[in-house]
Amino acid sequence: MLYQRSSALFEAAKEVIPGGVNSPVRAFKSVGGTPIFVEKAKGAYLYDADGNRLIDYISSWGPMLLGHAQEEVIEAIQKQAEKGTSYGIPTALETAIAELVVNAVPNIDKVRFVNSGTEACMSAVRLARGYTGKEKIIKFAGCYHGHSDAFLIQAGSGAVTFGAPNSPGVTQGTAKDTLLARYNDLASVEELFHQHGDAIAAIIIEPVAGNMGCILPQDGFLEGLRSLCDQNNALLIFDEVMTGFRLALGGAQERLGIQADVVTFGKVIGGGLPVGAFAARAEIMKELAPEGPVYQAGTLSGNPLAMRAGLTTLELLSKDKDLFERLDDKTEKLHLGMQSLIEKKGLPHQFNRLGSMVSLHFTETPVVDFETAALGNNDHFKAYFHGMLDRGVYLPPSAFESYFLNDALSYKDIEFTLDAFEDWLKSI
Ligand SMILES: *Cc1c(COP(=O)(O)O)cnc(C)c1O
């Protein structure tokens, strides 16, 4: 495939945008080469500036669960746009989407909308600190909760892709309030509670991690966190920016049957427009301004265009009883198909999958946390990424990211992907 126009566009972008991109992973740094520039997308496909058609396995990193440019969502956005795109004054639309979220998600009474997953997680932590009157939080190495200072301590996603987990610009003062534990290692969390006893306001975790590849919580791990929080008067924050409205309508809480105290959302909840949200029981949410003293605000929060896209998407999800089953089945077909091909070839590999999230690490060691995720052979990953791209399949351009399947993807597309994978395996 040719990427001439994309290369030229990338060169022009680099002149005026740092690294040519507005979010680091897009730059292909960990896989090398030039990022493709997208011209348009429809259903399961991306069309790049050189006219190549690519099957999309990132779905905008999650949001496009129904596929790109879904008709009803686009129509709803168009209709709303004609009525104005921002007022800074309440609308009934915000109540409608809030009601839907509160009904769909277990254990929450109220929800506040923001503009990104980063904002949602940042605000959730402030709320937890305000509610408990304590200052420290526990996060897990390799989990990503957006780019707010408190989370850039061994963060996943783009932050690990660049091997610079601790970003300059994050102060020591901030870093000292973020305690680090190991994913799937309850003892590491117990130890932190032992040392810092009364100072811990909350644990924040991706209940199914998706920012070091896909990593599943082992039996008893999340249950253990739940009881540690209960014993220590700390809040359990589930960062469901990735898993919310993807693993089930009620997210990981519903799928895994574990209750969090505060839940954060992003990605799918905006249906492709910039939306985040955080939610909890009424007794916690009442601490939030203007009801309570914990300040949080946003000029474009609850933006009507974004709310309309989110509401239409969530309505479609809640009406479609087989949607999550369909997504699971397609993801399973992809996983098992690839697994049998790679086994024949004898390449070291680990697949992790839950629902429509899946990832492939090139290692023999089971991938259960950040350390084991980092064992993957990145030369294999680079060759695999570019091999698939050349064959018309767009995968996440980093081994530390999960694939996100969308409902527009057909079984034929999966067959095509498996053929591409077989062909790539033959070529190496
Ligand atoms: C993407 C992501 C975020 C950050 O959301 P943004 O909208 O990119 O700010 C936070 N947490 C998780 C788990 C994510 O995957």
Side-chain angles (χ1 to χ4, degrees), residues 137-398:
I137 56 165
I138 295 178
K139 87 171 274 289
F140 295 86
C143 279
Y144 182 70
H145 306 293
H147 64 91
S148 149
D149 285 3
F151 304 127
L152 286 181
I153 320 285
Q154 289 210 16
S157 187
V160 287
T161 304
F162 295 103
N166 301 295
S167 170
V170 176
T171 66
Q172 292 296 325
T174 298
K176 82 170 175 23
D177 285 329
T178 300
L179 307 171
L180 264 185
R182 282 162 65 121
Y183 204 86
N184 278 325
D185 181 355
L186 206 52
S188 73
V189 184
E190 280 163 358
E191 179 60 25
L192 290 174
F193 273 108
H194 186 67
Q195 284 172 15
H196 299 277
D198 297 340
I200 295 164
I203 296 177
I204 184 166
I205 187 164
E206 294 177 62
V208 175
N211 285 292
M212 38 185 166
C214 175
I215 294 184
L216 275 55
Q218 291 171 342
D219 281 349
F221 177 57
L222 295 174
E223 290 84 350
L225 298 182
R226 176 71 271 168
S227 29
L228 281 171
C229 283
D230 292 342
Q231 286 156 28
N232 292 280
N233 293 319
L235 298 185
L236 182 59
I237 305 173
F238 271 9
D239 177 352
E240 297 228 39
V241 170
M242 232 176 221
T243 51
F245 301 100
R246 174 167 286 280
L247 292 184
L249 198 61
Q253 282 197 102
E254 176 188 326
R255 181 115 186 191
L256 305 175
I258 297 175
Q259 297 204 325
D261 298 304
V262 184
V263 189
T264 64
F265 297 100
K267 303 194 168 119
V268 177
I269 204 172
L273 268 76
V275 180
F278 59 105
R281 298 186 298 278
E283 54 156 330
I284 300 173
M285 290 304 270
K286 80 172 170 19
E287 292 300 311
L288 210 57
E291 237 184 309
V294 176
Y295 195 69
Q296 193 282 322
T299 301
L300 288 167
S301 293
N303 172 269
L305 208 56
M307 293 292 98
R308 186 60 81 181
L311 178 60
T312 308
T313 299
L314 299 190
E315 280 171 349
L316 289 167
L317 299 190
S318 31
K319 272 189 270 177
D320 189 341
K321 296 296 167 227
D322 312 319
L323 172 73
F324 295 102
E325 252 170 67
R326 276 200 308 276
L327 280 164
D328 287 13
D329 188 63
K330 287 175 193 172
T331 314
E332 183 179 23
K333 292 257 173 353
L334 177 74
H335 163 197
L336 297 181
M338 288 178 79
Q339 183 158 299
S340 89
L341 292 168
I342 202 170
E343 268 166 12
K344 264 188 245 158
K345 179 80 182 180
L347 221 55
H349 63 275
Q350 295 294 326
F351 282 94
N352 288 346
R353 167 174 62 95
L354 187 68
S356 50
M357 294 167 66
V358 61
S359 63
L360 163 59
H361 293 266
F362 292 97
T363 171
E364 271 154 14
T365 313
V367 171
V368 298
D369 59 11
F370 178 58
E371 264 174 44
T372 45
L375 294 176
N377 181 324
N378 205 47
D379 290 334
H380 284 167
F381 186 83
K382 276 186 200 176
Y384 161 63
F385 172 80
H386 283 290
M388 295 301 278
L389 186 61
D390 282 342
R391 291 166 178 82
V393 177
Y394 193 85
L395 301 172
S398 159

Side-chain angles (χ1 to χ4, degrees), residues 26 111 388:
R26 296 180 199 167
V111 54
M388 295 301 278

